[in-house]
Amino acid sequence: MHSYYLLKLYKLKKVFIIGSGVAGLSCAIRLKSEGYDVHVFEKNKDAGGKISELKENGFRFDMGPSLFTMPHLIEDLFKLSKKNIKSYFNYKKKENICNYFYEDGTSFCAPSDKKHFAKKASDVFNVTEKEINSYFEKSKKKFDLTKSVFLEKSLHKSENYFSKETLKAVFNISTLDVNKSLSSLNEKTFKDKRLAQYFNRFSTYNGSSPYKTPAIMSMIPHLEHHYGTFFPEGGMKEISKSLYKLAKDIGVKFNFETSIEKILVKNKKAIGLTVNSKTKFADTVISNADINHTYNKLLSDQYHPKNKLNQEKSSSALIFFWGIKKRFNNIDLHNIFFSSDYKKEFDNIFEKKLISDDPTVYINSTCKENPNDAPKGCENWFTMINVPHNDGQDWKKIIKDSRKNIIKKLNKNLKTDISKLIVYESILDPSQIELNTNSDKGALYGSSSNSMFSAFLRHPNFSNKIKNLYFCGGSVHPGGGIPLCLMSGKIVSDLIQKNPHLLN
Ligand code: FAD
C-alpha cells in the first residue's frame, strides 16, 4: 500500500525539520507529498539559509550561491507536489557561462555548449578540439559511473555496497582517477597552463584545493557543460522563496525565529525537540543544520562521531558587495580574474590559512540578467575571493588588505580605477557566514573534499546510534552546493519512507 494511505490509516506521522536551508526545504516538500505532518523550525526570519539576499540603496545582491545548475532537481519537487513550476519559479539557460581574465592579458568567454567550448578554447589556448572533447568524454564517464553510488543514495547502507552500480564503479576504478590530484590530471592533459588553471578551478565548487582533491572531481565541468548553467528570474533568492511557497501551499508548517536548543533522545530514539525551553514531540527528527552544530549544541550529551566531525572544513568566502557607478561591457553575470600563482593561492588557503596578495577574484553581477538589481548606469558586483574557513584569523586586517589587493587587480584588468566607482559597500566574511547559518567555521560546503576518502568520511544521512534521527544539507552526504543539498533531502525522505519504525 502507498505510504500516504498507510499514514492516513495510522494517524499522520509527525516530522520535525531543524533549518530551512535548501536541503531542509526539499526534504519537507518530499515528506509532505508523501502524507507526513511536517514542521520546520528556523532560527532566521525567513527560509533559505545560505541562499539569502541584500537590498540597499537601489542595489540587490544575492549574498550566497550565485551559480545555478541542475534545475531539473527543483522541477522534480514541483512535479511531485503536482504544482505548475511556472507559477512559482522561472529560469533561463545561459549561452555563455563565464568570462575569464588571465594575468597575461588573455580573456576567454566560456560557452556552455561542449562543441562550441572546444572550438573557442582551441582558438584561444594551445589545445586541439579533439583534446578538449576527449577530456569531456572522460568527465562524463566518471559522472555516469559514480552518480548513483555517490550522489543519489546513502553511501552508508549495506544494501548499497553490493549493488550492480557499485560493482561497476569498482571494476572501473582506474577510469575514476581517484589516486591522483585534479591538478596533476589537468597539468598532464593540457600543456597550456591557462587551460589547466581553467579546469583546476572546478575544485572550488566544493570548497577544495585542486592540488589535493582527487581527479574524479574532473566530472564537475561535465555537469556545467552537459546540463548547462541557468539564471533564476529575480535572482538566486527565488530558489528558496519559491520552494518555501510551494512547501507552505502543500501544508508544511513553518516556525521562524525559532532556534532549536536540543534534540530529545529517549531509549536511543529521537522523540522531539526543545524550543524556547518547551518540549515538543515528534516521530522523526531531521537536522538540516550543520552537522558540527547539531552534535555540539543539539546533541551535546550524546555520542559524538569524532572522526566525522573533525574532518578538515571546506574553504569559505570573503565578499564585497559593491554598488558600482559605471556599466562595463566586458563584465557578464559570472566573471573570474585568475591569480598568477594558483598553487600559492591554494597552499595559502589550506596550509597556512592565509590569503594571497594576488587572489583569484570572482564577480557576479546579476544586473546583467535582472536590470532592476542596480540603478540606471550602475552595476551590482558581488566581489568574492576564496579564503580559509574561520580559524580565528584577524578578519579586520584581512578585509583591509584584501580590499586593496582586489582593487589593484581589477584596476589592472579593467583599466579603470574601481575605487572611485564604489558608491555602496557591504562586506561578508567567514565569521558572519558562521553566525548567520550556524555553519561550522563559516565553511561554505561542510568538510572539504581534499582527500580520496572524503566522500566516505562525510557524516551519513542517518544516525546509527539514535533511531528516527536523520541529517540533510551541505555538511553531510553527499555534500555541499545546491544540487547535492537537494539530493540529500531526497535521500533522507527515501530513508524515512523505508524506515519500519515509522510505519509500524
Ligand atoms: P544552510 O543553507 O546551511 O541552512 C541551514 C539552516 O539551518 C539555516 O537557515 C540556519 O539558520 C538553520 N539553523 C541552524 N541551526 C539552527 C537551529 N539550532 N535552530 C533552527 N534553525 C537552525 N552553491 C551552489 O550550488 N552554487 C554556488 O554558486 C554557491 N556559492 C556559494 C557562495 C557562498 C558565499 C555561500 C555561503 C555558499 C555557496 N554555495 C553555492 C553553497 C550553497 O549555498 C550551500 O551548499 C547550500 O545553500 C546549503 O544548504 P543547506 O541545506 O545545507 O542549509
Side-chain angles (χ1 to χ4, degrees), residues 105 115 232:
K115 280 199 181 120

Side-chain angles (χ1 to χ4, degrees), residues 37 121 132 150 211 410 504:
D37 176 22
I132 298 271
F150 284 96
Y211 303 92
L410 294 179
N504 289 336

Side-chain angles (χ1 to χ4, degrees), residues 19 22-23 42-44 49-50 65-67 260 288 293 438 473-474 481-482:
V22 69
E42 168 56 58
K43 79 171 179 67
N44 293 338
K50 293 188 183 75
S66 51
L67 182 69
I260 297 304
N288 171 221
H293 171 79
N438 283 343
I482 295 169

